[in-house]
Amino acid sequence: MKKLFFSLFLSIATLAAFAQNPIDGNWKGSRETPNGTFEVTYTFKVEGDKLTGTWKTQFGEAALEEGKVDGKKISYSISFNDRKMSYTGELVSEKELVVKSERGEMKLAKQ
């Protein structure tokens, strides 16, 4: 009986250790600008409290820098065309993430 409980506990602990963070994956959003619609696609990967991934728009692609995760909150920066932008965000639901920067707020939907 002890072996059964130990095996069950070990299985649950293993699954919890390898559980995917809800922030992981592909996210897409858009917002209107004076120059038209700005569309962005993110790929996020969470490892502990580190956030890595990419940011892709019609203008190009860049790696996320200085990425951090604190529960449902994220922060990162992106360097593009000799400019560095800082972002913060929060997971609203498993399908919605809101990111903010000096240029405004954008809702992202999980793909």
Side-chain angles (χ1 to χ4, degrees):
M1 191 64 141
K2 285 184 181 181
K3 285 185 180 182
L4 177 63
F5 284 118
F6 180 73
S7 295
L8 183 59
F9 174 76
L10 190 57
S11 296
I12 292 170
T14 301
L15 287 174
F18 291 104
Q20 186 177 19
N21 188 297
I23 296 170
D24 283 347
N26 297 318
W27 296 81
K28 189 173 185 176
S30 65
R31 67 180 170 87
E32 294 302 317
T33 72
N35 297 324
T37 303
F38 179 76
E39 294 182 357
V40 63
T41 303
Y42 284 94
T43 300
F44 292 127
K45 178 66 181 155
V46 176
E47 294 176 2
D49 64 350
K50 291 189 176 192
L51 178 68
T52 59
T54 57
W55 170 87
K56 187 174 182 180
T57 72
Q58 61 263 38
F59 304 111
E61 185 173 331
L64 273 60
E65 302 169 356
E66 305 166 344
K68 295 179 185 175
V69 177
D70 184 10
K72 293 183 176 187
K73 296 185 179 190
I74 61 173
S75 62
Y76 57 93
S77 60
I78 296 170
S79 296
F80 194 75
N81 289 340
D82 297 324
R83 183 168 183 178
K84 187 173 189 174
M85 298 273 302
S86 295
Y87 293 81
T88 60
E90 186 167 1
L91 187 67
V92 176
S93 72
E94 295 221 1
K95 297 286 184 183
E96 185 178 353
L97 181 67
V98 176
V99 294
K100 299 176 183 178
S101 73
E102 66 186 47
R103 293 193 173 184
E105 181 178 297
M106 182 184 304
K107 291 181 181 179
L108 304 177
K110 190 145 193 187
Q111 301 299 295

